[in-house]
Amino acid sequence: MAARGSCPGCGSAALVEDAHYAQQQLVCAACGCVLAEGLLTTTYTEEEHLREVAYSQSTGQKEQLSRCLQRGIRRVQDLCKVLQLPMVFEETAVSYFQRALQHPCFHLVSLEKKELLGGCCVFVTCRQHNWPLTMGTICSLLYAKQELFASVYLSLQKELGLSVPALSLGDLVKTHLNSFRLFQHTADVPATFVEDKEKMVARTMQIVELASETWLVTGRHPVPIVTAAAFLSWQSLQPAARLTCTFARFCKLAGVDLPPPAHLRLKELLEILLRMASQLAWLRVFNMDKKTVVKHIGDLLQHRIFLLKNAFCLEDGEEQRATAPGEGSASSPPADGRRPLLPPCLINPRKRLRTAALSASDSAITGDEPISDSEIEQYLRGPEEIRAFRKAKAWS
């Protein structure tokens, strides 16, 4: 059907209205130039009754989600389903992910970091709802490096201004022990290995608190420590029938994985317990080892504060003698074999790599070079810091 006017491209007056996919268009019959688009119909009902809506009011005007955003949302939803999180957690994590992708800080990051961004949103959501979830669990599900995940997580927390509470060890212990299969009688678990859940959770909590007070938790993944503490608490509740059970068999019966560092955490916990047992008068007559000390864990935990103070802290007189200048006693251990309570990284430091030979310019440094005013504060030490440094150096 012809229409008034002329084509601005070729000047032809042969203009017709053509229906293309239910859309009326004004087209030049001479050159094929589309002069104007008509109206769209949204449903079959509107087409039957010849009801037309403007393009600005149709669904085609709405901005569609990008492929990156769609893929990220599906990744967040799948991760929430794997972790069996409530629906409100999934909605919160998706909203955080959408906010993050709209932020300019995350526009030009690598594809690997964008994929980890969804895991960070799930991790933040769980922490805000006091849901015990560790960073190592998320990294194992995403096959990601913990260093890279931590950097993305810190950027997300900073740029979006999110408040993330610290992880509660108590909640983590309860959640981790809920997955154990040692609290009910089954065909795979012997009757002597079945334990009351409340007793085991309470004893495990006390051992984890002991580990926290003795520097065994700081800077480490909490799951191996909780697993080792659960094994010790389970053995100590019925030591006669359970001392012969190995750590690997315990994890197999409980239906949980055995993390590789758990054996080291178990060894460190037993060393702490042995030193505490050496301070109990009624236990000194026995030749305590790593197996027999498990029988007395209840007594050791009952007097935990007193035993830790006596086993690891020096008396005031000994401390003064050890730090007195000119006597040379700072590098020698006390006569009774006690040592101060230090982190494991100081007790068993990692071996340092061999350094390359010093160059001529470096070997010419004598130590008498002047120190700038901006660096002088890094070298000043008070009397208390000097004494603490000598004690740590003597036992490192």
Side-chain angles (χ1 to χ4, degrees), residues 238-281:
Q238 294 186 23
R242 300 172 180 174
L243 282 180
T244 56
C245 182
T246 61
F247 196 9
R249 187 188 177 193
F250 165 77
C251 293
K252 184 177 180 180
L253 292 174
V256 296
D257 296 331
L258 178 59
H263 286 287
L264 298 178
R265 304 294 88 83
L266 178 62
K267 179 181 178 182
E268 293 171 349
L269 282 172
L270 289 174
E271 291 177 353
I272 296 294
L273 293 173
L274 282 174
R275 295 193 65 86
M276 293 171 61
S278 64
Q279 302 301 316
L280 277 180

Side-chain angles (χ1 to χ4, degrees), residues 1 14 29 41 75 90 122 130 141 146 219 286:
M1 180 177 60
T41 56
R75 193 179 187 89
E90 180 178 327
V122 175
N130 200 21
L141 293 176
Q146 294 188 7
F286 300 104

